[in-house]
Amino acid sequence: MHASRKTLQNQPSRMKKMFYGKLLLLIMATQQLVNAQIDRVEPPCWWTGMKHPELQLMVHGKDVGNQKVEVHYKGVSIKSVNTTDNPNFLFIDLLISPSAKPGVFRIRFIRDGKEIFSYPYELFGREPDSSSRQGFSSEDVIYLLMPDRFANGDPSNDTVKGMKEGLNRNALSGRHGGDIQGIIHHMDYIADMGFTTLWINPLLENDMSRTSYHGYAITDFYKVDPRFGTNELYRALAHTARERGIKLIMDFVFNHCGSGHWWFTDMPARDWINSYPDYFITNHHRTTNMDPHASEYDKRRMTDGWFVPSMPDLNQRNPFLATYLIQNSIWWTEYLGLQGIRMDTWPYPEKEFMAEWCTRMLDEYPRFKIVGEEWSENPAIVAYWQRGQHNFDGYEGNLPCLMDFPLQAALVKALTEKEGWNSGWIYLYEALANDFLYPDPYNLVVIPDNHDMPRFYMQVGMNDSLFRLGMTFILTTRGIPQILYGTEVLMTHKEGNDHAYIRKDFPGGWPDDPVNAFTGKGLSRKEKETQEFFRKLLIWRKNNRVIHQGKLVHFAPEKGVYVYFRILGEEKIMVILNKNRKKTILKPDRFSEILGNHTTGKDVLSGTDIKLMNEIEVPARTPLILELN
């Protein structure tokens, strides 16, 4: 059972009393469940005051589908009771009226007119203004971290009895012991660096025999993996983040689950999993979602194929599964107080379901933010999904935000290819020119890399100057920046581009680490300078409205230099990115339409005043961020 966040946070004495009361209820409920052979009721609890009054409970237990159900609680009524081809499942549709009060009611199971057993189900009151929570935005910078590889705050949960995989830090793809407590311990570091939002790779249970550390093969959608901690500790992390002004994004996976999921011991319905048991692997042709010429065969191979053999493909066409997934995301949002969701493998599930899911989420939380992963370098493909897009086929995706993979690819090309009429900075310039394809290009997440691709520092050949040019762009262009953990200290993977190398342990996250990036111990001069570069730029950005809200105006690159402005009323920022190996002189008259009467600009990174009257001298391979005076 779960106490409310307000009680947990603000009323410790009452919390203790409520805890023991709930513990007694839990013991009583457990005894009843054992006798009745009910294994699960999901969602495990709910809230009054939701916009949508419907709640569907999935009940699992031996022959529970043969029982009748009754509920007697003011404001709560049964709309319908449904069964599937598996008699061990029952789906109860409840209506929770606005008059319903928080409390515990009993779900009574009836056979031959007699109550066989009952189950206590709890409704909580929502936090004040829960529905109006503000999602992450262009005011934020997202810090992406992989919990198993960030910090080990509780060695006691490194190996959990009964789970298939234990600690093996020497194995590249093994579990290394990072956990929720480790993140909590280092929340001050994240805040002090200037990051304002956390995206944590999935923390839910992945009870798989191997490679379970990454979190994308979920085996229980309502339970934190015990090797990371508990549901309550996850909520404590969310509270700790909020206290430091940091928003929390939860990483969701709706396309698939892990083959170790408890469903595989007793499938809720024959069509719960696509192509089961004679599965096939997806063709990964994501363009079939919008290709006007695509065959039905290719479309089905895309959506119904499994990602990999260990990740069975979920069938969102099953209405009970569709409702289950929608409610799961609402449950975690309410339980943790989330400000955003990152959805994995966005184009792989049924696209009509994904549109409905977005609609439901944004009905409950109108200012909430959802970002989807459509890994395509084609902006037309990415733009297809964004809310407000007028697609040729009438599809309305309702997705507010996407990862800007096209811009990421263009940035790497721009930095690593020689300057020419059709190469170099022109890739970036033209990538931004494609913004006309998006309903809202300012609502894209801009990334130098992520946990699935080579680190940006490696992509630019470990060239410090090109790295800083690229990171300056990411943190000053339009959109919402996201930075992968360790980028701020130049983490590398010279051994290769295998995921296990890319996702190395953060230095200092384990007591015996010889280098500690949290304290600076053992960092090289270059690594310390890079960390300070990030800290200075992030803190400046955090308090700068023109970067958050300002219009982007750019000038076609010339002679290895790319110049753009961010403009908000009278506030103006001029960004100059010089890729040349020698200093470059710019004539300011070219930019007179923006510069106007401005004669100087203060460089954010160096603190130097730069004159803008006759010529602008830009040092070799250096970014300038000028606040125009």
Side-chain angles (χ1 to χ4, degrees):
M1 313 302 286
H2 307 290
S4 71
R5 277 196 302 275
K6 184 175 180 181
T7 302
L8 287 171
Q9 295 168 13
N10 300 326
Q11 302 179 44
S13 59
R14 287 186 58 199
M15 180 182 71
K16 186 178 292 186
K17 294 178 182 178
M18 290 182 67
F19 170 79
Y20 288 115
K22 291 179 186 299
L23 182 60
L24 179 60
L25 280 175
L26 183 61
I27 292 171
M28 295 170 59
T30 302
Q31 291 172 342
Q32 290 176 323
L33 289 177
V34 170
N35 295 333
Q37 294 183 321
I38 287 184
D39 303 307
R40 294 173 182 267
V41 175
E42 293 179 343
C45 64
W46 203 247
W47 292 266
T48 60
M50 305 297 285
K51 179 174 182 180
H52 288 265
E54 300 89 355
L55 171 62
Q56 184 174 93
L57 301 180
M58 183 177 76
V59 181
H60 179 239
K62 180 66 175 175
D63 291 327
V64 71
N66 296 323
Q67 316 294 331
K68 292 185 178 181
V69 179
E70 292 182 359
V71 168
H72 302 286
Y73 189 80
K74 187 175 181 180
V76 178
S77 60
I78 296 176
K79 180 181 179 183
S80 64
V81 179
N82 299 283
T83 59
T84 67
D85 48 60
N86 185 341
N88 296 333
F89 282 86
L90 199 63
F91 292 87
I92 306 171
D93 291 328
L94 300 177
L95 287 176
I96 303 174
S97 75
S99 64
K101 302 296 184 184
V104 178
F105 63 87
R106 292 196 167 274
I107 304 170
R108 304 180 185 278
F109 294 85
I110 311 296
R111 181 187 295 168
D112 298 329
K114 295 181 179 180
E115 180 181 313
I116 306 302
F117 54 86
S118 65
Y119 179 83
Y121 195 83
E122 187 155 12
L123 292 175
F124 292 100
R126 300 179 76 181
E127 289 294 305
D129 302 318
S130 174
S131 63
S132 60
R133 70 188 62 202
Q134 177 63 57
F136 64 91
S137 70
S138 56
E139 296 181 3
D140 296 299
V141 177
I142 301 167
Y143 192 55
L144 163 60
L145 62 85
M146 182 158 279
D148 183 68
R149 305 300 167 88
F150 188 65
N152 188 347
D154 181 8
S156 70
N157 63 18
D158 289 351
T159 296
V160 175
K161 186 178 180 180
M163 301 200 78
K164 297 182 178 70
E165 189 176 21
L167 180 73
N168 188 353
R169 198 178 176 200
N170 294 323
L172 288 175
S173 295
R175 298 193 76 96
H176 291 187
D179 52 29
I180 294 174
Q181 194 61 57
I183 301 171
I184 292 174
H185 284 340
H186 299 291
M187 197 68 74
D188 284 338
Y189 167 81
I190 296 168
D192 291 344
M193 281 295 300
F195 295 105
T196 62
T197 301
L198 263 180
W199 160 21
I200 305 172
N201 294 138
L203 285 162
L204 300 186
E205 182 190 88
N206 273 232
D207 195 9
M208 304 290 286
S209 59
R210 58 184 297 272
T211 321
S212 65
Y213 75 92
H214 56 61
Y216 289 96
I218 295 170
T219 56
D220 191 324
F221 283 92
Y222 280 100
K223 181 183 179 184
V224 166
D225 194 297
R227 292 160 294 188
F228 289 143
T230 63
N231 287 17
E232 288 297 324
L233 193 61
Y234 199 175
R235 184 156 60 179
L237 182 152
H239 176 62
T240 301
R242 281 194 298 273
E243 285 186 323
R244 288 156 179 78
I246 296 175
K247 300 172 183 177
L248 184 62
I249 298 173
M250 187 170 174
D251 204 339
F252 276 77
V253 188
F254 279 0
N255 177 65
H256 52 264
C257 64
S259 57
H261 196 288
W262 65 269
W263 285 330
F264 279 80
T265 63
D266 196 17
M267 198 70 71
R270 290 194 189 98
D271 64 346
W272 201 258
I273 302 294
N274 284 319
S275 313
Y276 180 75
D278 301 319
Y279 72 89
F280 51 86
I281 300 300
T282 177
N283 57 23
H284 296 287
H285 294 316
R286 301 185 303 279
T287 53
T288 55
N289 280 296
M290 62 285 294
D291 178 1
H293 314 296
S295 66
E296 292 301 318
Y297 173 85
D298 287 340
K299 290 179 182 179
R300 196 49 57 202
R301 298 289 294 191
M302 162 61 194
T303 57
D304 285 6
W306 291 22
F307 213 72
V308 293
S310 61
M311 295 178 178
D313 198 70
L314 297 175
N315 176 22
Q316 298 85 20
R317 295 185 298 274
N318 180 299
F320 300 117
L321 176 57
T323 299
Y324 181 94
L325 295 174
I326 290 171
Q327 290 182 164
N328 179 256
S329 54
I330 294 173
W331 190 90
W332 281 110
T333 300
E334 200 70 26
Y335 179 77
L336 295 174
L338 297 175
Q339 284 78 36
I341 286 174
R342 179 264 184 183
M343 182 59 72
D344 185 63
T345 56
W346 182 268
Y348 287 83
E350 292 292 328
K351 67 180 188 180
E352 289 78 12
F353 162 76
M354 297 306 288
E356 174 62 20
W357 173 70
C358 276
T359 299
R360 280 290 305 276
M361 287 299 300
L362 296 173
D363 276 351
E364 290 290 354
Y365 311 100
R367 302 170 68 191
F368 196 68
K369 187 63 66 67
I370 303 167
V371 57
E373 179 199 31
E374 167 58 279
W375 195 330
S376 173
E377 295 181 12
N378 183 344
I381 301 301
V382 178
Y384 176 85
W385 302 103
Q386 195 174 31
R387 181 172 57 184
Q389 184 68 283
H390 300 291
N391 289 308
F392 75 97
D393 58 358
Y395 179 74
E396 297 180 10
N398 300 328
L399 176 61
C401 182
L402 290 110
M403 299 287 178
D404 198 343
F405 286 99
L407 196 66
Q408 190 278 335
L411 176 61
V412 173
K413 287 182 180 179
L415 290 169
T416 57
E417 291 194 12
K418 291 183 178 180
E419 285 301 306
W421 181 80
N422 201 31
S423 63
W425 283 126
I426 195 68
Y427 288 117
L428 198 56
Y429 175 77
E430 293 190 347
L432 285 167
N434 283 329
D435 276 0
F436 73 91
L437 293 167
Y438 299 104
D440 187 1
Y442 289 78
N443 210 4
L444 299 173
V445 172
V446 290
I447 63 173
D449 56 26
N450 66 15
H451 59 292
D452 286 327
M453 66 171 68
R455 287 179 173 270
F456 184 69
Y457 187 51
M458 304 299 293
Q459 293 189 56
V460 296
M462 297 178 62
N463 185 297
D464 299 344
S465 299
L466 296 181
F467 174 82
R468 289 200 181 198
L469 287 170
M471 297 313 304
T472 298
F473 173 77
I474 289 291
L475 294 170
T476 58
T477 191
R478 55 88 175 130
I480 308 161
Q482 168 245 290
I483 305 297
L484 177 63
Y485 78 100
T487 300
E488 72 272 27
V489 289
L490 294 177
M491 281 179 63
T492 61
H493 45 94
K494 300 175 187 177
E495 305 89 341
N497 291 335
D498 186 275
H499 282 169
Y501 295 128
I502 294 168
R503 304 163 180 174
K504 285 181 179 176
D505 298 346
F506 190 84
W510 284 255
D512 57 348
D513 286 354
V515 177
N516 190 329
F518 297 117
T519 65
K521 176 187 174 183
L523 289 178
S524 68
R525 179 182 58 83
K526 184 166 62 175
E527 290 165 345
K528 288 181 179 179
E529 289 176 351
T530 303
Q531 193 177 47
E532 185 54 34
F533 163 81
F534 269 96
R535 183 180 287 110
K536 178 179 287 189
L537 193 45
L538 288 170
I539 291 174
W540 169 81
R541 189 190 190 281
K542 185 177 180 179
N543 301 300
N544 203 296
R545 291 189 317 137
V546 68
I547 295 296
H548 304 162
Q549 304 168 22
K551 177 183 177 182
L552 173 67
V553 177
H554 64 168
F555 289 76
E558 287 187 0
K559 299 177 181 180
V561 181
Y562 182 37
V563 177
Y564 56 92
F565 293 80
R566 301 299 303 276
I567 306 167
L568 182 66
E570 297 301 315
E571 298 179 68
K572 298 176 184 178
I573 302 292
M574 181 181 191
V575 181
I576 306 172
L577 304 178
N578 178 18
K579 201 173 74 175
N580 296 311
R581 295 179 182 274
K582 57 178 68 176
K583 71 177 181 180
T584 301
I585 303 299
L586 298 181
K587 297 294 184 181
D589 56 350
R590 181 178 170 223
F591 314 109
S592 60
E593 66 184 85
I594 309 296
L595 290 177
N597 296 323
H598 294 287
T599 58
T600 60
K602 185 172 184 177
D603 180 30
V604 171
L605 295 172
S606 68
T608 305
D609 287 327
I610 307 293
K611 293 182 178 181
L612 306 173
M613 291 177 289
N614 299 317
E615 57 184 30
I616 306 171
E617 183 178 302
V618 189
R621 291 204 160 182
T622 298
L624 293 180
I625 307 172
L626 305 181
E627 293 181 314
L628 302 187
N629 299 323

